Structure formats: C-alpha cells, structure tokens
Amino acid sequence: MSVALFDLAQRVRAATRSRPVPRSAFSPVLPTTDPIAVTMTGAGDTALVQAADLTNLTTATGPDALETLARLRVSLTGELRTLVIPDRATLSHLVELARATDRGSACAEAAAVVGWWDQRADHPGSGAVLNVTVACSARWVLGVPPTRERHVEVWRQWLGVADHGPRGLLEMAAAVSSGQTLPGLEAFVEDDQRSWEAFRIRLGDPSSRWDWRVRDSRREAALGLATRCDAAELYESLRLGDPLVATRESFSGTVVTGVVTAVHGRSLVELTLDHLACRLREQTEIEGFPGFPRDLPPAGSRAPLLHGRVTATRVTPDERLVVTIGDANVRPGPARTGQRLTLRPRSIDPRQQRSGRRELHRRYAARRSWLSGGAAPTPQRRDVPLDVVVAAAE
C-alpha cells in the first residue's frame, strides 16, 4: 500500500457513495469568529466585491469596492474577525485594492485589516483567514480527480450548498468547522490575538512611521519568516494527532509502526517496521506510543511511552526495515521485545516556539550584531508554507 493507492481508495469510496469521505476525524480548522465572507470578480475599475456576515450582504464595485467591508464594520477598533474566502486568489485581489486605497479614505481602516489578514493567511492553523477550498480538502476527499478539488464550485456541489455568493461560503465554513476541533489548535487563537493587538497598537501609535503597505525591513522579514515556519511546523505536528491523518501518513513513512525486536540496556531499542517506507532520518527526535497509527493520541495530550532519537536504520536480508532508537527513555519501564509501537516525529511545543521567537526578537533588537559575535548557527531543516516558498522564488 502507498499513499497514492490509499488516496485512490478514498476517492473510489466517495464516488461510490456520492458523498465526501472524511480525510480527518477532527475539524482541521478553528471555529470562525464573527466571520465575514468575501467573493470578488474582476480587478481595478471593474472589480465587483460582495461581502456578507451572518446578517447582512453588501456589494460594491470599482476602486472603492472595499466599502463593502466598511459597511460590515470591518475596522481597527473592533475585535478580531475571521475572513472567509473561496481561494487565495481572492485575498490577493483584495490586497491589491487595499494597497491602492487612499490613506485618508473612509475605507483606510478596512484596507489595513485586509493587510493584516494577508499576513495571517501565511500561517497554517490560524483562525484569522479561512480558505474554504483548502479547509475542505483537509477535511474530506471527493470522488473526483485531485485537480478538481481546487475549485470551490466543486465543493459547493458536493456539500449541497445552493448559494454561489458569500453566504454560501459562510455555510461551507460552518460545515468544515463543525464537530470537534483538532486538539491543540487553541494555540493559534492566542497567536492570532497577539498579532491583532500588536498590529492595531502599531498603526494607532502617532509617533510611529510604520506603514503596513511598505515592504518589511530585513529584521521584520526574518522575524516574520520565523513565525510562519513555526506555524507550519506546529500545524503539521498537531495534524499527526488525528487518527485518520496518522493512518494515511503511515503509508508515506512520516509515521511508522512495528514491533520491538531488540532491547540493549535501557537506552537503545530496535524496532522492526511493517513497511519499508520511512521518512524518519537519523538524529530525528521521535515519540513512541503503543498500538497502531490509528491509536495515536492528540499531539501533546499525554506523555509518550518512549521518546528518543533515530540513530540508525538498516534493511535485513529478508527485506525488513529496522530502526534503531538511541537515548531511548521508556516510561514507566524498559521496552519489551514483541511490543508493538508507533513512532512519530516529536510533538512541537508552542510554548517553546514562543520562547524561541522572543529570544530571536531580542537578538535582532540588540545594537551589536549577534551574527558576528556568536557561534555559527547549526543548519536546520524546517517546513515552510508553500506560499512563502513561491514568493521567495519569484
């Protein structure tokens, strides 16, 4: 079995049943907060923007199309609100309108909020922006080719949403965020709130010359990249706590399962895996839990049975992959030969991430360059949001 065959089987099942098949057991997104949905056609003078909250629907055209947001009380004086969009292109067009909005315009505050939404959209897991197409793809599988899942109209059809405007987006947002939220996503609520308050304070400071339209300085760009990478790592870590996601990833090798075949003392364990696919490289820190991938608990919910790091991998003559775990700390006692374990990358701790970002901020704020005075940094592999990679390539 491979990931491609696993996905194909889910698509065949969805096509047979004529309804979406769950890709995740939990809702992969946070519940919306006073949501406002936006659809947009055209650009510049021909732009047509429709926006709706839970009670009102507004429409505007041309360069002042952001009036739709102002009419729905989108401003810097209000509380954080969730933007619901059909795709990332819609947000990009909104940002173009926001950047072209005059600073003295009645829509200036709404334009600034669009700028903040654009920043938070680069943070996977954030509750500030809900991209309906991406969220639905994370929760369900359809009985259609994968490329068709990129179109919001396909999701409307399969979810039975008749409205093709912003109110239809609100229906889809309610559907995709229904049920139990993926445990751990609450960490993003705090990050969103901190970001929103900092953005408001910075714009409202009369002594500050900062303009959200201006390109970030090197320091701000570095700190912004750190927050985006942290969000990507944390979100992917939390997703592995979903039993359906963990089962799928067991065929890609991100999560592996097998049986303990050798125990050398208390700190060295050998695990013979069920499959040859394994993406756990040497020196990767891991956690081990009893049972199969479907038995993995939500990330950070309870202490693992085993944690350590991968020290070696080898393939036996009978074509079985053996993973050696060093510095193994097994609780409550030593691992037993024959015990079934499932390994996953070590869970990300959001508190440690915040501490690291504070330290990074302190170093960049120092008058003396810490880059020239400190030890050479150790190269690290990190997940980076795809949108950030594309922007860097351009």
Side-chain angles (χ1 to χ4, degrees):
M1 176 68 78
S2 65
V3 170
L5 289 176
F6 183 88
D7 290 343
L8 178 60
Q10 285 196 306
R11 295 190 186 282
V12 171
R13 186 182 183 190
T16 302
R17 296 188 172 189
S18 299
R19 64 173 183 265
V21 169
R23 192 193 294 270
S24 59
F26 300 108
S27 169
V29 296
L30 288 164
T32 57
T33 303
D34 194 9
I36 177 169
V38 175
T39 60
M40 184 174 178
T41 57
D45 294 339
T46 61
L48 171 63
V49 176
Q50 288 185 301
D53 57 17
L54 298 178
T55 56
N56 301 301
L57 173 67
T58 64
T59 304
T61 60
D64 296 326
L66 288 186
E67 286 181 4
T68 55
L69 301 183
R71 294 171 193 160
L72 296 177
R73 306 179 309 281
V74 174
S75 69
L76 295 171
T77 57
E79 296 297 322
L80 182 157
R81 300 181 68 178
T82 301
L83 173 68
V84 181
I85 51 175
D87 48 45
R88 186 57 191 259
T90 298
L91 180 56
S92 297
H93 292 317
L94 280 176
V95 172
E96 291 176 5
L97 282 177
R99 291 185 181 279
T101 300
D102 186 77
R103 289 170 173 78
S105 168
C107 304
E109 286 199 15
V113 176
V114 171
W116 179 76
W117 278 331
D118 185 46
Q119 292 179 16
R120 297 308 297 172
D122 291 335
H123 296 71
S126 168
V129 178
L130 177 56
N131 185 328
V132 167
T133 305
V134 173
C136 288
S137 296
R139 182 151 197 187
W140 298 295
V141 176
L142 301 181
V144 297
T147 53
R148 294 194 61 196
E149 288 187 354
R150 302 171 188 170
H151 304 286
V152 69
E153 294 302 328
V154 174
W155 285 104
R156 279 196 177 102
Q157 178 184 353
W158 278 76
L159 295 178
V161 176
D163 191 294
H164 288 257
R167 285 178 173 165
L169 293 181
L170 293 177
E171 288 185 50
M172 298 170 71
V176 77
S177 61
S178 63
Q180 184 178 355
T181 303
L182 178 66
L185 281 186
E186 59 273 6
F188 290 99
V189 175
E190 183 176 345
D191 289 342
D192 286 339
Q193 193 62 45
R194 287 174 181 268
S195 174
W196 174 243
E197 294 299 333
F199 187 83
R200 292 173 57 191
I201 292 173
R202 196 172 186 186
L203 275 182
D205 185 358
S207 62
S208 174
R209 295 184 177 181
W210 180 73
D211 187 344
W212 67 269
R213 298 174 177 84
V214 178
R215 188 175 181 177
D216 288 340
S217 65
R218 291 182 180 179
R219 171 173 169 267
E220 290 174 332
L223 293 172
L225 180 59
T227 65
R228 289 163 171 83
C229 291
D230 282 352
E233 288 183 348
L234 177 58
Y235 186 66
E236 290 305 316
S237 177
L238 294 176
R239 289 274 285 165
L240 291 181
D242 187 302
L244 292 183
V245 175
T247 298
R248 179 183 184 274
E249 293 304 318
S250 69
F251 297 109
S252 73
T254 302
V255 174
V256 297
T257 184
V259 175
V260 176
T261 50
V263 179
H264 306 282
R266 294 182 60 89
S267 61
L268 199 64
V269 177
E270 289 189 355
L271 193 74
T272 301
L273 305 184
D274 293 349
H275 307 289
L276 288 174
C278 178
R279 293 186 178 182
L280 302 178
R281 299 180 177 87
E282 292 186 12
Q283 304 307 317
T284 299
E285 295 187 356
I286 57 90
E287 297 174 345
F289 295 87
F292 292 88
R294 62 176 179 269
D295 303 317
L296 282 181
S301 63
R302 72 168 189 256
L305 178 69
L306 173 149
H307 61 81
R309 58 184 176 83
V310 176
T311 58
T313 57
R314 60 184 173 86
V315 177
T316 63
D318 59 347
E319 299 183 350
R320 302 293 299 277
L321 180 61
V322 178
V323 175
T324 303
I325 304 167
D327 299 331
N329 186 349
V330 185
R331 300 176 182 178
R336 305 187 309 274
T337 302
Q339 185 177 21
R340 173 164 291 279
L341 294 177
T342 292
L343 306 182
R344 55 155 292 167
R346 184 178 180 181
S347 298
I348 301 297
D349 186 344
R351 293 169 298 183
Q352 291 183 354
Q353 287 186 326
R354 293 189 189 106
S355 176
R357 291 197 297 270
R358 284 194 295 268
E359 175 63 13
L360 188 63
H361 185 276
R362 184 191 66 80
R363 291 188 175 191
Y364 274 115
R367 291 181 177 273
R368 179 175 174 272
S369 173
W370 62 275
L371 294 174
S372 61
T378 303
Q380 293 180 338
R381 298 175 62 93
R382 300 196 67 182
D383 292 330
V384 179
L386 180 60
D387 290 339
V388 175
V389 176
V390 174
E394 292 176 346

